[in-house]
Amino acid sequence: MKNLLSEIQNCTLCKDYLPFHPSPILRASKTAKIIIIGQAPGIRVHNSGIPWNDPSGIELRRWLNIDSEVFYDTSEIAIIPMGFCYPGTGKSGDLPPRKECAPTWHEKLFNFMPNVELILLIGQYSQKFYLEKPKKNLTEIVKSFEEYLPKYFCLPHPSPRNRIWMKKNSWFEEDVIPVLRQKIETILKK
């Protein structure tokens, strides 16, 4: 695993498409029980080198009901985004994750993590990549989260930009978050 992580840290597969020199941001270990698969680092995360070190990360930790110490404990939680490097910004915000990372690295990483009990698929990119028969849109996928258990737990992105989605879909906070918290607590207690 150490060699693989070093290889990923030195990856330059998509360097010609990135606004900055590649700076892969992920965290993983052989003992991780939970994997968080989000989109790609934003500019704040790119600058700090710490995954989910932004308002989205604060909201995600609230959803999971865990503090930063637990969240960043790689012996428990792996953070493996769809794209490891900041992809840059387009007209409507951050660009999608680069398509090279997940097919190149995810399976190799997962092969080193036999203790994984739950994979959080955050946002449409990870859900489209991993779900065999995803629903027509993110709302339907998240609403049907139980269909993807026990392997996957599907979530929207916790970005402050999604506040309108959260207000329109109050069932998420009322029905989904309590189940998510219970699952996370049960896994971390083992």
Side-chain angles (χ1 to χ4, degrees):
M1 178 76 134
K2 186 177 180 182
N3 290 339
L4 178 59
L5 289 171
S6 177
E7 191 178 346
I8 293 168
Q9 291 299 328
N10 292 302
C11 177
T12 59
L13 278 174
C14 55
K15 69 178 179 180
D16 295 337
Y17 306 100
L18 299 174
F20 305 112
H21 184 74
S23 181
I25 298 172
L26 73 154
R27 295 191 177 196
S29 76
K30 290 181 180 181
T31 60
K33 297 183 244 179
I34 298 167
I35 298 174
I36 297 172
I37 303 177
Q39 296 177 173
I43 189 66
R44 284 186 187 185
V45 171
H46 171 81
N47 289 333
S48 72
I50 302 168
W52 294 98
N53 185 31
D54 56 15
S56 297
I58 292 168
E59 182 68 355
L60 178 58
R61 288 186 287 280
R62 185 187 73 76
W63 289 354
L64 301 174
N65 198 33
I66 58 175
D67 62 21
S68 294
E69 185 176 337
V70 174
F71 186 80
Y72 292 115
D73 180 355
T74 57
S75 70
E76 300 282 356
I77 298 175
I79 301 171
I80 304 172
M82 291 299 293
F84 296 152
C85 298
Y86 172 61
T89 304
K91 291 179 183 177
S92 61
D94 287 345
L95 292 173
R98 293 295 314 161
K99 294 181 179 180
E100 296 86 351
C101 289
T104 303
W105 301 113
H106 280 200
E107 186 175 346
K108 291 176 184 177
L109 284 163
F110 297 166
N111 287 338
F112 279 103
M113 297 189 293
N115 301 323
V116 172
E117 295 183 39
L118 185 64
I119 299 173
L120 304 182
L121 299 177
I122 300 174
Q124 65 179 338
Y125 299 107
S126 61
Q127 292 163 7
K128 286 181 181 177
F129 188 83
Y130 279 101
L131 300 178
E132 287 183 30
K133 295 182 180 180
K135 305 286 184 192
K136 65 180 177 176
N137 60 43
L138 180 129
T139 301
E140 291 302 314
I141 290 170
V142 173
K143 199 177 259 189
S144 306
F145 74 95
E146 291 174 307
E147 292 180 27
Y148 305 107
L149 291 169
K151 185 173 185 176
Y152 299 119
F153 203 114
C154 299
L155 299 168
H157 196 283
S159 169
R161 289 182 176 166
N162 283 342
R163 286 187 185 135
I164 293 170
W165 187 93
M166 298 295 173
K167 285 182 181 178
K168 283 184 183 177
N169 298 286
S170 60
W171 52 265
F172 174 73
E173 194 78 39
E174 296 163 7
D175 301 332
V176 179
I177 293 296
V179 176
L180 173 65
R181 288 178 174 173
Q182 181 59 53
K183 292 218 168 290
I184 297 297
E185 181 180 355
T186 299
I187 291 169
L188 293 176
K189 281 186 176 178
K190 291 180 182 177

